[in-house]
Amino acid sequence: MPEPFEPRTDPDVDLRVPADRRELTARPATILAAIAAGGVLGALARAGLQHAVPHPPTGFPWATFTINTSGCLLIGVLMAVLGHLDGGPPLARPFLGVGVLGGFTTFSTYAVDVQQAIVVGAPGTALAYLAATVLGALVAVGVGDAATTGLLRQATR
Amino acid sequence: MTVLLIALGAAVGAPLRYLTDRAVQSRHGSAFPWGTLLVNVAGSLLLGIVVGWPAGPAVSALLGTGFCGALTTYSTFSYETLRLTTGGHRLLALTNVLGSVTAGLAAATAGYALARALTG
């Protein structure tokens, strides 16, 4: 009998969720391999987009901005779908959430791009990028979660 | 070659985020996402060092794009902030946003300055 899916704060691993506590001890190699495989796919997609849309040191990092906001939209959608499915297939969250979306989105590039814009003397770009990414990401994750939850409720009514 | 190095870095970085998050959570009971904050700040510090160092394209691909990119996450950070907000922990959510951005930027700056100081 499956346990009820509890509301979680952390999409990577939330030790207050019973299934997450057992996840790694039950089959560590499978879980870590799924996360690694997803991480590789996400990181390569990110690298491809950053390569396709490069930005000058003083310019707005559009590729990374788009990657981070779209990744946040998608994690909202994914977690709402998985919540609707009582957690979904066991490897879905580790592979898609922790791996693909975790590997796709990046906080380090965001922080360093802000810092580099300051270093090259473009504080306006740095501030705009800093604020736009935070606000865009939070709006995106909220919209992804709310819209998906609403649609799933309508569909099952 | 670059693609392989990015893949290798990400294959290590993504599971390391999961394991770090798990280890940090097992040591405290609060709702605040300390694990995500830790990986994001550590990754920003390391990427600052990589960018400040005269690192070649191979090192940048392996450590920067692959490892740091997969170790750090914006999706988990934003989802946790959303959950803190909807769960009634608005102050924690605000602290998470301001704290992550400030600490991440400070770490990136420190890493970059350190690498520049060491390499002249």
Side-chain angles (χ1 to χ4, degrees):
Chain A
M1 170 136 168
E3 288 178 28
F5 187 77
E6 292 181 20
R8 51 164 65 241
T9 302
D10 191 335
D12 286 349
V13 58
D14 195 325
L15 295 184
R16 289 175 300 174
V17 178
D20 278 22
R21 286 200 293 275
R22 288 192 307 266
E23 188 173 72
L24 193 64
T25 42
R27 35 187 194 155
T30 313
I31 292 294
L32 293 179
I35 293 170
V40 169
L41 291 178
L44 289 178
R46 167 167 45 80
L49 279 168
Q50 286 169 335
H51 182 74
V53 190
H55 70 278
T58 52
F60 193 92
W62 283 110
T64 308
F65 172 78
T66 307
I67 286 162
N68 279 335
T69 47
S70 64
C72 290
L73 178 79
L74 290 173
I75 195 106
V77 172
L78 175 71
M79 296 311 289
V81 170
L82 293 181
H84 184 74
L85 300 173
D86 283 338
L91 287 181
R93 198 197 84 262
F95 177 71
L96 294 173
V98 191
V100 175
L101 292 179
F104 185 57
T105 62
T106 170
F107 196 93
S108 51
T109 306
Y110 162 73
V112 168
D113 278 350
V114 171
Q115 186 262 339
Q116 286 296 299
I118 296 169
V119 166
V120 299
T125 306
L127 189 63
Y129 176 60
L130 180 131
T133 303
V134 168
L135 294 176
L138 293 177
V139 168
V141 72
V143 167
D145 175 67
T148 310
T149 305
L151 285 173
L152 288 171
R153 259 190 212 138
Q154 268 190 347
T156 50
R157 199 175 283 161
Chain B
M1 189 62 190
T2 304
V3 170
L4 280 180
L5 289 169
I6 294 170
L8 185 63
V12 177
L16 188 60
R17 165 164 34 87
Y18 175 87
L19 292 171
T20 305
D21 203 350
R22 210 184 156 87
V24 171
Q25 279 184 48
S26 70
R27 281 162 179 79
H28 74 88
S30 90
F32 193 80
W34 289 110
T36 308
L37 180 65
L38 177 65
V39 290
N40 279 344
V41 171
S44 299
L45 177 75
L46 181 59
L47 188 63
I49 294 173
V50 171
V51 170
W53 207 273
V59 176
S60 289
L62 179 74
L63 284 182
T65 314
F67 181 76
C68 289
L71 176 72
T72 64
T73 170
Y74 223 95
S75 51
T76 299
F77 160 69
S78 68
Y79 188 81
E80 285 168 337
T81 306
L82 173 72
R83 274 290 156 269
L84 287 173
T85 309
T86 55
H89 303 287
R90 290 196 176 177
L91 192 61
L92 282 186
L94 186 66
T95 309
N96 187 39
V97 172
L98 297 179
S100 295
V101 171
T102 309
L105 190 54
T109 306
Y112 182 80
L114 180 72
R116 277 295 151 108
L118 288 176
T119 56

